[in-house]
Amino acid sequence: MGKTATLGTESSNHQFPVVTGSVGPDVIDIRKLYAETGMFTYDPGFTSTASCESALTYIDGDEGVLLHRGYPIGQLAEQSSFMEVSYLLLNGELPSKDELAQFETTITRHTMLHEQLATFYRGFRRDGHPMAIMCGVVGALSAFYHDSTDISDPLHRKISSHRLIAKMPTIAAMAYKYSVGQPFVYPDNSLSYTGNFLRMTFGVPAEPYVVNPVVEKALDRIFILHADHEQNASTSTVRLAGSSGANPFACIAAGIACLWGPAHGGANEAALNMLHEIGTPDRIPHFIERAKDKNDPFRLMGFGHRVYKNYDPRATVMQQTVREVFDALKVNDPVFEVALQLEEMALNDPYFIEKKLFPNVDFYSGVILSAIGFPTTMFTVLFALARTVGWVAQWNEMISDPGQIGRAHV
Ligand code: CMC
């Protein structure tokens, strides 16, 4: 008999099986708790609860570790492309050269949108937030692609997944173009996934657009860093929406809606605004004191994390990427110097040491995105674009295993 855990109530003792995962802490399987004891558990934030079984992503917040299918995020960001990481998340293994080429061809073939969707965009106000537009357009895809929505068929799931990953850059770029009043730019399948997105966003039909390889690599890396992050709020939303058998495009629209909230996807914008507000290094001590003051609601944005109580491994990669982008674009924005000095001062301050507050992924990502030319309203859109692969991989994993349905009584 395997390991068990005993729960003692006032009247009796109950044994529950203990499940050991491939990595991380053991888990007490309490599925029979209510039947045996008539009691529920109370853990609304799922701080001690595994909501599902997943082989995709593992986080050890105390050690600052993030693994995708067993590979450390730093290694993937250094050595792989976003397409490789997408393949890894979807299929469980990194692709061979041929498999990658085949995957890239498949994704490339799905980058165009149904032409009717261009008309759909015109129904939005020009000053609508691009996340609002993205949420609406992705939901609307469910009214456009009817040939692949039998979610019990693995091939249909695969086609829907590929469509979502492929069309998201086109949708995001169109949302941007619509807001600035420029014509939509159609995909160019000779470019990489990320190069194509840059061209659709910043290119105009009047002149050729040359993709800057440093910017392309930096953005590709940002996509890798945001590809998946375990059972966070938006991923749990996608899983729960999908557990009723809902249309895949509608499920991803639900994920986008959840991601939009400032507590989830909006923190890099807040971090960048804070760095601008600080403005010069001599003002940093004043803001550090404010962050420590219990009577002041100000917090250091881009610092601290619900899970990471160590340096967020994604922040390390980001810091290095800022330097590369600034050098390549010859940007001399004082905001980076402020960020570096703020980080150093906070990391040496007893308040931040004691509370285990370290820079998170959002501390530097806004600085990079702004240097590339994205307005802050696009930051969360880019997050959604990248996270789509995580969402569809998690959704696929759940549907493949009927035991994983979020809540069986619908
Ligand atoms: N600046 C100053 N003090 C802080 C900060 C901060 N950024 N973060 C936490 N604290 C303090 C907080 O005041 C509290 O102090 P006390 O124990 O004396 O009351 C203590 O640290 C614990 O705070 P908490 O809010 O209970 O901790 P949490 O782990 O639940 O919060 C957090 C995590 C991300 C909400 C929080 O650190 C925060 O608000 N950070 C700033 C916003 C931010 O950068 N968010 C992006 C998160 S990463 C996004 C992603 O991965 O998708």
Side-chain angles (χ1 to χ4, degrees):
M1 195 178 148
K3 279 197 270 182
T4 56
T6 305
L7 172 75
T9 64
E10 274 177 3
S11 52
S12 52
N13 282 338
H14 302 270
Q15 301 258 313
F16 296 97
V18 171
V19 183
T20 301
S22 50
V23 61
D26 288 348
V27 173
I28 306 170
D29 180 349
I30 54 159
R31 278 176 290 182
K32 296 203 171 122
L33 179 81
Y34 179 63
E36 288 196 11
T37 66
M39 288 184 187
F40 288 134
T41 56
Y42 179 68
D43 184 15
F46 283 14
T47 49
S48 301
T49 302
S51 60
C52 63
E53 192 180 326
S54 178
L56 275 134
T57 294
Y58 173 73
I59 303 171
D60 182 334
D62 291 329
E63 296 299 322
V65 170
L66 167 60
L67 307 175
H68 289 323
R69 303 282 194 184
Y71 291 93
I73 190 67
Q75 186 184 326
L76 291 172
E78 281 296 323
Q79 298 172 17
S80 302
S81 67
F82 179 65
M83 280 292 94
E84 284 176 278
V85 174
S86 299
Y87 184 99
L88 173 70
L89 285 167
L90 289 170
N91 300 293
E93 300 290 343
L94 279 168
S96 66
K97 221 171 146 218
D98 288 349
E99 285 166 338
L100 179 62
Q102 176 60 47
F103 182 65
E104 285 179 328
T105 306
T106 308
I107 295 297
T108 300
R109 289 227 175 103
H110 285 295
T111 49
M112 275 173 53
L113 284 186
H114 191 292
E115 195 58 20
Q116 183 69 17
L117 275 161
T119 318
F120 189 84
Y121 272 84
R122 296 199 167 91
F124 290 102
R125 282 172 55 140
R126 293 265 175 196
D127 59 356
H129 195 287
M131 275 302 270
I133 297 182
M134 200 172 195
C135 194
V137 173
V138 173
L141 294 183
S142 50
F144 281 83
Y145 299 99
H146 296 142
D147 59 343
S148 58
T149 50
D150 176 4
I151 62 158
S152 63
D153 182 339
L155 183 62
H156 279 213
R157 291 205 300 274
K158 198 171 176 179
I159 296 170
S160 294
S161 303
H162 289 164
R163 278 189 172 138
L164 275 156
I165 295 166
K167 293 185 196 308
M168 212 52 99
T170 317
I171 293 169
M174 284 170 76
Y176 173 70
K177 285 298 192 201
Y178 189 70
S179 71
V180 292
Q182 290 182 2
F184 297 140
V185 175
Y186 286 101
D188 175 348
N189 289 349
S190 68
L191 297 174
S192 72
Y193 184 85
T194 303
N196 185 33
F197 172 62
L198 282 167
R199 181 179 161 277
M200 287 190 291
T201 306
F202 297 119
V204 286
E207 52 191 62
Y209 179 82
V210 182
V211 178
N212 180 322
V214 177
V215 170
E216 183 183 18
K217 188 167 164 229
L219 191 57
D220 201 72
R221 230 183 231 171
I222 290 178
F223 290 164
I224 293 174
L225 298 183
H226 288 87
D228 194 43
H229 210 229
E230 245 193 29
Q231 309 311 317
N232 55 83
S234 59
T235 302
S236 303
T237 301
V238 171
R239 276 186 177 259
L240 201 53
S243 74
S244 72
N247 178 289
F249 299 106
C251 295
I252 301 302
I256 293 171
C258 178
L259 183 74
W260 191 5
H264 195 352
N268 52 6
E269 183 176 342
L272 182 67
N273 290 340
M274 176 195 73
L275 293 172
H276 280 302
E277 195 190 339
I278 298 175
T280 48
D282 57 300
R283 283 164 51 83
I284 295 172
H286 167 65
F287 281 86
I288 293 213
E289 286 315 309
R290 281 189 61 194
K292 289 156 51 172
D293 182 355
K294 281 267 149 276
N295 300 316
D296 188 331
F298 174 79
R299 282 187 169 196
L300 278 195
M301 298 314 286
F303 255 78
H305 198 276
R306 179 60 52 82
V307 180
Y308 294 116
K309 301 302 171 197
N310 201 324
Y311 210 99
D312 180 341
R314 302 169 299 172
T316 321
V317 184
M318 282 292 179
Q319 197 203 70
Q320 183 193 333
T321 309
V322 186
R323 284 185 200 286
E324 290 170 13
V325 170
F326 274 41
D327 285 350
L329 299 179
K330 303 203 176 12
V331 173
N332 193 10
D333 189 341
V335 102
F336 184 39
E337 195 47 44
V338 172
L340 286 175
Q341 291 198 27
L342 175 62
E343 176 186 338
E344 198 187 326
M345 281 179 87
L347 290 179
N348 287 307
D349 189 295
Y351 172 94
F352 292 88
I353 296 170
E354 199 182 294
K355 295 192 187 298
K356 298 188 176 163
L357 298 169
F358 294 85
N360 60 50
V361 66
D362 292 319
F363 190 64
Y364 287 109
S365 64
V367 176
I368 304 175
L369 295 174
S370 156
I372 294 176
F374 289 103
T376 48
T377 49
M378 282 294 286
F379 289 2
T380 321
V381 170
L382 300 174
F383 191 161
L385 186 167
R387 184 55 58 84
T388 296
V389 64
W391 289 331
V392 295
Q394 300 263 0
W395 170 81
N396 264 297
E397 185 181 60
M398 179 191 69
I399 308 272
S400 319
D401 179 356
Q404 302 256 352
I405 299 299
R407 180 178 168 187
H409 335 279
V410 278

